[in-house]
Amino acid sequence: MCSIFFSKIGRLLICLLLINSASAQKQSVPKPVFDDPIYHGAADPVIVFNKEKKAWWMFYTNRRATTEDSTVSWVHGSLIGIAESKDGVHWKYKDTANINYRPDNGYTFWAPEIIANKGIYHMYLSYIPGTYTHWNHPAYIIHLTSKNLLNWQYQSTLPLSSNKVIDPNVLQLPDGTWRMWYNNGAVGKTMYYADSKDLYTWQDKGKDKTIGRGEGPKVFKWKQQYFMIVDCWKGMDVYASDDLNTWKKQPERILELPGIGNDDQAMGGHCDVVINDNRAFVYYFTHPGRRKDAPAPKNSFNDKRSVIQVAELHLNNGVITCNRDEAIDFKLK
């Protein structure tokens, strides 16, 4: 009798474990978290909450990975794609942003940054006047505004340090003013910054001498400290600051070593960080075909293809770490 009883208990426990395991699998974050269905070249994501739609919108550089090209023109001619999600985990392609600034016959949009302030959305966007087959071309940062995140009106071209500027990132300072960090390609892809009192008029402040070379800066405040993550082409450098003026780089990079998840075996690039319920989530892109152990043929579709991944950041003794293979369960609130 006892053996039958414990046998039933054992079967019940196994069933419960299987149910819990299935539940955990349903709740786990997919890899990749988003793959653009049009060109399969999603990169440089930024995440913003659309108050009207009550949903999260992801804006990203819509690289044309399906284009047959042996140069770099496939990285140019890109629009800004939009994906939508109710929870920050399950994303669906929505559209491309309607950007009312196309003064040239050919044009390229890269790496949007979006700030919500006083009922207005502000986009700072890298604009390249053409579709080039090389990297030696001008690039500007333009300012656009919107009330619905879909239709964007041109405001100005920012008077910055050179005509080779990309990858803006904006944060409000403790005194209520605003600061933009950006990449200056005319000076070895170093970090420069500019300040504004109203998000419309900007004053360039020159080079940030405490930040090394890199692109796609992302500055955020988390657990009473400021951090900056910079794409250094070897994964991500992480910096910390108490005052947003002087930065100190932590010894270890994140998202440099390959993961084991689907399409996550290559280093991470140009990211956004979402702080939600005191947790920090990094949305980054990878080129799945550029894994070191099995690289795709140069200039092939698999070499160009890029997808968006997400992982959780952890903070221990002032140092940020990221295990891209960690199973995470979350819904953005």
Side-chain angles (χ1 to χ4, degrees):
M1 181 66 70
C2 288
S3 62
I4 294 175
F5 176 77
F6 284 113
S7 176
K8 290 182 177 179
I9 292 295
R11 289 197 297 270
L12 178 60
L13 289 173
I14 290 172
C15 288
L16 289 173
L17 287 172
L18 289 173
I19 291 171
N20 288 336
S21 175
S23 177
Q25 289 177 3
K26 289 180 181 179
Q27 293 175 353
S28 62
V29 176
K31 283 186 176 291
V33 77
F34 181 70
D35 181 355
D36 173 75
I38 310 301
Y39 292 116
H40 301 283
D44 314 331
V46 62
I47 314 296
V48 62
F49 187 71
N50 187 323
K51 295 181 179 179
E52 181 182 0
K53 301 294 184 181
K54 294 182 172 57
W56 295 91
W57 278 21
M58 176 194 298
F59 292 76
Y60 58 92
T61 306
N62 202 6
R63 293 176 175 180
R64 300 176 299 137
T66 56
T67 301
E68 293 187 11
D69 173 44
S70 60
T71 67
V72 293
S73 68
W74 65 275
V75 179
H76 298 80
S78 50
L79 301 179
I80 299 303
I82 303 172
E84 185 177 76
S85 174
K86 292 294 185 181
D87 56 10
V89 175
H90 302 95
W91 295 88
K92 184 177 181 180
Y93 177 80
K94 182 173 181 61
D95 206 340
T96 55
N98 179 22
I99 294 172
N100 185 23
Y101 185 73
R102 302 178 181 184
D104 303 282
N105 290 330
Y107 52 87
T108 298
F109 299 145
W110 282 347
E113 164 70 325
I114 297 177
I115 298 295
N117 184 56
K118 298 180 180 178
I120 299 294
Y121 296 103
H122 298 259
M123 179 188 290
Y124 299 92
L125 182 67
S126 307
Y127 176 78
I128 292 85
T131 300
Y132 292 83
T133 59
H134 54 80
W135 297 111
N136 187 26
H137 54 68
Y140 307 93
I141 293 175
I142 62 174
H143 175 207
L144 307 114
T145 57
S146 173
K147 291 186 178 180
N148 62 7
L149 283 174
L150 189 60
N151 301 304
W152 295 89
Q153 298 299 315
Y154 172 79
Q155 297 295 329
S156 68
T157 299
L158 274 55
L160 300 175
S161 55
S162 77
N163 67 342
K164 291 181 179 292
V165 294
I166 62 171
D167 296 353
N169 178 235
V170 176
L171 186 75
Q172 189 167 32
L173 303 182
D175 65 2
T177 61
W178 302 85
R179 178 161 296 173
M180 173 186 294
W181 291 264
Y182 66 91
N183 173 309
N184 187 348
V187 193
K189 284 192 168 290
T190 52
M191 208 64 63
Y192 275 56
Y193 70 103
D195 287 345
S196 174
K197 294 181 179 180
D198 58 6
L199 291 171
Y200 288 88
T201 303
W202 292 86
Q203 182 179 5
D204 197 275
K205 296 291 186 176
K207 182 178 178 179
D208 189 327
K209 297 180 180 179
T210 63
I211 302 294
R213 294 178 67 244
E215 61 188 19
K218 177 60 188 183
V219 183
F220 56 98
K221 186 177 183 180
W222 187 32
K223 297 184 178 180
Q224 307 306 311
Q225 191 167 13
Y226 294 104
F227 296 95
M228 178 188 292
I229 297 180
V230 178
D231 184 344
C232 61
W233 315 291
K234 296 179 180 179
M236 310 277 197
D237 280 334
V238 181
Y239 296 82
S241 176
D242 294 323
D243 59 6
L244 292 168
N245 293 312
T246 302
W247 297 89
K248 182 177 180 181
K249 185 168 70 172
Q250 71 178 38
E252 300 295 328
R253 290 188 285 265
I254 64 171
L255 298 171
E256 176 180 13
L257 300 177
I260 60 174
N262 184 45
D263 287 346
D264 205 21
Q265 289 87 38
M267 65 183 181
H270 194 133
C271 74
D272 191 20
V273 175
V274 178
I275 308 298
N276 195 267
D277 198 25
N278 210 32
R279 297 169 70 184
F281 303 97
V282 56
Y283 291 80
Y284 59 97
F285 82 92
T286 65
H287 281 288
R290 297 184 185 181
R291 51 189 295 176
K292 291 183 178 181
D293 61 336
K298 188 69 174 175
N299 294 322
S300 67
F301 166 70
N302 287 329
D303 176 59
K304 300 169 186 173
R305 177 177 173 255
S306 58
V307 297
I308 307 299
Q309 305 278 6
V310 64
E312 186 166 7
L313 301 178
H314 297 283
L315 181 62
N316 298 296
N317 298 319
V319 175
I320 283 182
T321 59
C322 180
N323 177 6
R324 67 204 298 180
D325 296 323
E326 174 190 17
I328 55 174
D329 176 20
F330 76 96
K331 292 182 179 180
L332 295 183
K333 296 181 179 180

